[in-house]
Structures are given as C-alpha cells and as structure tokens.
Amino acid sequence: MQTSIAAALRHLKQALVHLDEARLAIRRADPSGAEAVASLMERLRTQIRCLDGGADL
C-alpha cells in the first residue's frame, strides 16, 4: 500500500511540473487561463501535502 501511495504522490508531483509548464506557456495569450491553472496547482499542492503528511513541495 505504501508503495502505491508513494508512486501516486510522485505522479501528482510530476503533474504539478506539467501544469506549471502549461501555465507559463499560456501566460501571455491568456492571463486569466494562467491564473486558473495557478489556482488549480495550489489546490493540488494542498492535497499532496495532506497525503504526504504535511511535507513541503
């Protein structure tokens, strides 16, 4: 069980990297879209912290 949780956390953290790349790519063309992605990223970070026992990202 711990192994699958750790794997899921790694995938979620990798998703944050991809979301940040997307946010940066659309920032000029769609500032409000970039803000929406940033908001999604913050919610995902909060959930990851909860699953990871409060660890900083």
Side-chain angles (χ1 to χ4, degrees):
M1 178 87 161
Q2 289 290 351
T3 304
S4 60
I5 292 172
L9 285 169
R10 281 193 303 276
H11 288 293
L12 290 171
K13 289 175 183 178
Q14 188 62 39
L16 278 175
V17 171
H18 293 298
L19 284 169
D20 194 41
E21 290 169 351
R23 181 188 62 81
L24 292 173
I26 66 171
R27 185 174 47 188
R28 281 193 179 192
D30 186 4
S32 64
E35 287 179 30
V37 172
S39 176
L40 175 64
M41 290 173 62
E42 189 53 41
R43 292 193 311 262
L44 183 55
R45 279 189 194 100
T46 300
Q47 293 302 315
I48 291 171
R49 276 188 212 108
C50 290
L51 292 170
D52 205 13
D56 287 333
L57 300 178

